[in-house]
Amino acid sequence: MIMPKKLLSEMTPQELQTEMELCQTSAKKAIDDGIISEYQVYEQRYYMAKSYLMNPQDVQLDVTYGIENDTNLFVTKSLRGVLAYGKVLGQKGEKAYPIGLLVPLDFD
């Protein structure tokens, strides 16, 4: 597993898009090879790269969001960079998620 030397926060939108595509390809190979921990690293990097492509101002505070690939619901309390801090409903303590993992809920 080779990670680039450039930080995600230093990448251009095009570089972030390329990084996301590389993560998807590498994650698929890791799953095919049965290396779950490597898959999880690429999945995390994918969502962090996605977060840097998003505008944090689009994430609302005190709003309930779904979490990608998870059945829990998350209520945002604060933002620090591309991380949203808040509470997972039914759990104790504060948690943080990259904003790229947050899924807006639509009850209409």
Side-chain angles (χ1 to χ4, degrees):
M1 176 169 51
I2 298 172
M3 291 291 178
K5 292 180 177 35
K6 199 170 192 182
L7 297 174
L8 293 174
S9 60
E10 298 171 341
M11 291 185 181
T12 66
Q14 181 57 45
E15 289 172 322
L16 288 166
Q17 196 65 46
T18 301
E19 184 67 19
M20 289 172 62
E21 292 166 9
L22 175 67
C23 287
Q24 286 179 312
T25 303
S26 299
K28 183 182 180 328
K29 183 179 179 338
I31 281 290
D32 292 345
D33 293 344
I35 309 170
I36 304 304
S37 59
E38 188 172 318
Y39 165 80
Q40 292 170 328
V41 169
Y42 284 117
E43 181 183 48
Q44 286 179 330
R45 188 158 175 88
Y46 171 87
Y47 284 110
M48 283 302 294
K50 180 180 176 183
S51 297
Y52 278 102
L53 284 173
M54 298 174 66
N55 183 352
Q57 293 178 344
D58 291 340
V59 177
Q60 298 176 341
L61 300 182
D62 296 315
V63 170
T64 303
Y65 286 89
I67 305 165
E68 194 74 42
N69 301 321
D70 196 325
T71 57
N72 289 314
L73 296 176
F74 179 73
V75 180
T76 56
K77 294 297 178 191
S78 66
L79 291 171
R80 295 180 216 149
V82 296
L83 292 178
Y85 289 79
K87 297 207 37 106
V88 174
L89 294 181
Q91 295 182 10
K92 293 182 180 179
E94 186 178 61
K95 217 154 166 168
Y97 289 101
I99 61 175
L101 269 175
L102 301 182
V103 179
L105 300 176
D106 184 13
F107 295 109
D108 294 333

